[in-house]
């Protein structure tokens, strides 16, 4: 089993940080990449003109490797919502069709379609939270429902609020049988789970760096299937065209769009500080591999299950959650002040829609889990 990677992070021993699903700590190597980048920007006359482009392609390749994609099919963007806006520009659900989203999913894969629906004449249909917790079956049932044709499912592969997992292979198969498209918000899955785009074959898959893949804010990636790459980008950039180069005359030599998903790169993509930080983080994740990361996290969440269950916590079925997330439910709602009380014990998790979301990563170990469980016992079971 992959050993704890705590030594690669700046985490005090008395801190049980189990909140990667909110934002991860930066590895020491990623912090150093940021410091080096800032120092370069402080002396811009020393920057190799080719450096930004080299870092961009290094980062693109590293992101693609986490999802089994070709680098040419991945664009550098700023956020998941930006990526969904790109998808909305490239894919127009026909009038009278349905776009499926899931109840209480994160806003990013939903709001773009809600905004477009009135003018374009399609309906955004919300799949209700299933009482048995099986989101995959609920989405399959919605896809198969007679009536208006389904055009697209725009969904997360892991529900952000409670860690419920959706089987993208099954959902993709069901959508293809209806001739429908698939957009995956892989914020809580990329790098942690098997999301091979060659096998799943989504139309779009999007993920940021600031959570599970251990990178900075403001960097994200969108995989665009080749069948969707002929569209017009969200932003009109020189590098998105074949022949707009500032060191040649004529400047606007060829305004036709660049081939591959590179045409969808965001403006000001040459942010080599954040891009290099992201590349270092993504390469770390690839070095460990999603299978080894999942195995380690599964061990930690199983230990959490055992300790929290003994403390009377209400927990989901293991089969309905990923290896790296665990949520505690409360019959009467989360006790007031629970998060602050845990933080006072140096134990960190997140409140999400009335549940306690716990999310370990490779920097956690058994001592963290035991410390967290002890803190939970102390504050959740304390007399009112």
């Amino acid at each position: 089993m992959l050993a704890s990677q705590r030594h690669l992070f700046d985490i005090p021993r008395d801190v049980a940080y189990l909140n990667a699903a909110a934002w991860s700590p930066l590895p020491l190597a990623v912090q150093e990449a940021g410091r080096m980048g800032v120092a370069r920007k402080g002396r811009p006359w020393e920057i190799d003109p080719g450096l930004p482009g080299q870092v961009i392609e290094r980062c693109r390749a590293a992101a693609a490797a986490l999802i089994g994609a070709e680098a040419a099919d991945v664009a550098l963007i700023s956020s998941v919502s930006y990526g969904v806006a790109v998808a909305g520009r490239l894919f127009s659900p026909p009038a009278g069709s349905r776009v499926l989203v899931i109840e209480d999913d994160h806003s990013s894969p939903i709001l773009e379609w809600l905004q477009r629906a009135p003018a374009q004449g399609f309906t955004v249909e919300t799949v209700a939270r299933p009482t048995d917790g099986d989101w995959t079956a609920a989405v399959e049932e919605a896809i198969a429902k007679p009536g208006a044709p389904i055009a697209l499912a725009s969904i997360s592969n892991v529900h952000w609020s409670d860690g419920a997992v959706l089987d993208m292979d099954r959902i993709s198969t069901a959508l293809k049988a209806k001739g429908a498209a698939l957009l995956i918000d892989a914020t809580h899955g990329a790098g942690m789970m098997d999301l091979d785009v060659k096998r799943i074959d989504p139309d779009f898959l999007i993920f940021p760096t600031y959570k599970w893949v251990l990178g900075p804010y403001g960097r994200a990636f969108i995989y665009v299937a080749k069948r969707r790459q002929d569209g017009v980008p969200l932003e009109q950039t020189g590098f998105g065209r074949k022949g707009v180069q500032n060191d040649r005359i004529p400047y606007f030599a060829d305004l036709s769009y660049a081939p591959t998903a590179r045409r969808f790169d965001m403006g000001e993509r040459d942010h080599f500080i954040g891009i290099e930080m992201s590349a270092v983080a993504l390469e770390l994740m690839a070095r460990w591999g999603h299978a080894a990361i999942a195995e380690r996290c599964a061990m930690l969440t199983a230990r959490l299950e055992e300790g929290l269950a003994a403390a009377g916590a209400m927990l989901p079925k293991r089969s309905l959650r990923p290896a790296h997330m665990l949520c505690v439910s409360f019959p009467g709602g989360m006790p007031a002040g629970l998060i602050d009380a845990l933080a006072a014990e140096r134990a960190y998790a997140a409140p999400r829609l009335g549940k306690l979301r716990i999310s370990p990563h490779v920097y956690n170990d058994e001592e963290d889990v035991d410390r967290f469980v002890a803190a939970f016992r102390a504050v959740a079971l304390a007399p009112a």
Side-chain angles (χ1 to χ4, degrees):
M1 180 183 292
L2 178 69
S4 170
Q5 302 298 306
R6 193 184 193 91
H7 60 287
L8 300 181
F9 295 78
D10 180 21
I11 305 175
R13 182 63 270 180
D14 66 337
V15 168
Y17 186 78
L18 303 178
N19 201 17
W23 43 40
S24 66
L26 292 174
L28 296 171
V30 177
Q31 294 183 47
E32 181 58 25
R35 283 189 286 267
M36 288 175 59
V38 169
R40 287 193 187 108
K41 187 64 168 64
R43 300 173 69 87
W45 55 90
E46 295 181 356
I47 297 175
D48 180 344
L51 175 68
Q54 294 164 13
V55 174
I56 285 167
E57 294 310 315
R58 174 188 173 190
C59 193
R60 193 191 312 275
L66 292 190
I67 55 173
E70 297 176 16
D73 296 333
V74 173
L76 282 69
I77 57 175
S78 58
S79 64
V80 173
S81 57
Y82 183 106
V84 181
V86 170
R89 186 74 174 260
L90 300 178
F91 178 81
S92 296
S97 67
R98 296 180 292 145
V99 170
L100 286 186
V101 299
I102 60 175
E103 185 176 6
D104 292 332
D105 200 359
H106 197 274
S107 60
S108 295
I110 295 178
L111 295 181
E112 182 71 22
W113 309 110
L114 288 176
Q115 188 274 330
R116 288 176 175 273
Q120 295 179 213
F122 62 85
T123 300
V124 178
E125 178 180 320
T126 301
V127 180
R129 182 180 295 276
T131 55
D132 62 359
D134 189 345
W135 277 109
T136 302
V139 171
E140 287 176 322
E141 184 178 346
I143 294 169
K145 187 175 73 174
I150 181 168
L152 169 74
S154 181
I155 54 179
S156 300
N157 80 298
V158 174
H159 201 293
W160 73 283
S161 71
D162 61 12
V165 69
L166 288 82
D167 188 324
M168 289 296 111
D169 289 274
R170 285 172 51 186
I171 290 170
S172 178
T173 297
L175 288 167
K176 288 187 188 315
K178 297 289 186 178
L182 173 61
L183 181 152
I184 302 174
D185 176 353
T187 295
H188 296 287
M192 306 297 291
M193 303 169 71
D194 181 3
L195 288 175
D196 190 323
V197 295
K198 290 187 175 67
R199 185 189 72 249
I200 299 171
D201 192 27
D203 294 79
F204 311 99
L205 183 146
I206 312 165
F207 65 96
T209 67
Y210 72 98
K211 293 180 184 281
W212 295 100
V213 299
L214 310 176
Y217 245 93
R219 306 296 99 186
F221 307 93
I222 179 171
Y223 162 82
V224 181
K226 285 182 170 60
R227 60 184 173 271
R228 303 293 180 193
Q229 291 179 11
D230 289 337
V232 176
L234 190 62
E235 295 182 85
Q236 302 306 308
T237 63
F239 50 76
R241 307 299 180 107
K242 287 183 178 178
V244 177
Q245 298 183 13
N246 60 12
D247 59 349
R248 295 184 185 177
I249 298 175
Y251 180 26
F252 294 107
D254 185 348
L255 294 184
S256 57
Y257 286 110
T260 78
R262 288 180 174 86
R263 72 168 68 179
F264 306 115
D265 283 357
M266 65 183 181
E268 294 198 20
R269 66 176 186 174
D270 293 351
H271 189 278
F272 57 84
I273 302 168
I275 294 294
E276 186 155 3
M277 292 172 71
S278 299
V280 172
L282 293 162
E283 289 164 357
L284 266 178
M285 293 291 293
R287 193 178 312 154
W288 296 319
H290 68 79
I293 294 171
E295 182 185 28
R296 173 156 197 86
C297 288
M299 178 274 291
L300 295 171
T301 52
R303 191 179 183 101
L304 277 164
E305 278 181 330
E306 182 179 357
L308 293 171
M314 295 175 58
L315 303 169
K317 292 180 182 178
R318 190 177 297 184
S319 61
L320 297 177
R321 66 167 180 82
H324 53 288
M325 291 174 71
L326 178 68
C327 280
V328 177
S329 299
F330 303 90
M334 183 180 295
L338 176 62
I339 298 301
D340 290 341
L342 285 170
E345 299 291 327
R346 309 275 274 172
Y348 299 90
R352 292 295 183 266
L353 301 185
K355 297 181 180 180
L356 179 67
R357 188 185 67 188
I358 311 169
S359 47
H361 209 314
V362 296
Y363 43 75
N364 293 121
D365 57 19
E366 293 88 339
E367 184 176 335
D368 287 328
V369 169
D370 295 345
R371 184 185 297 275
F372 189 92
V373 170
F376 182 87
R377 281 179 172 275
V379 302
L381 305 181

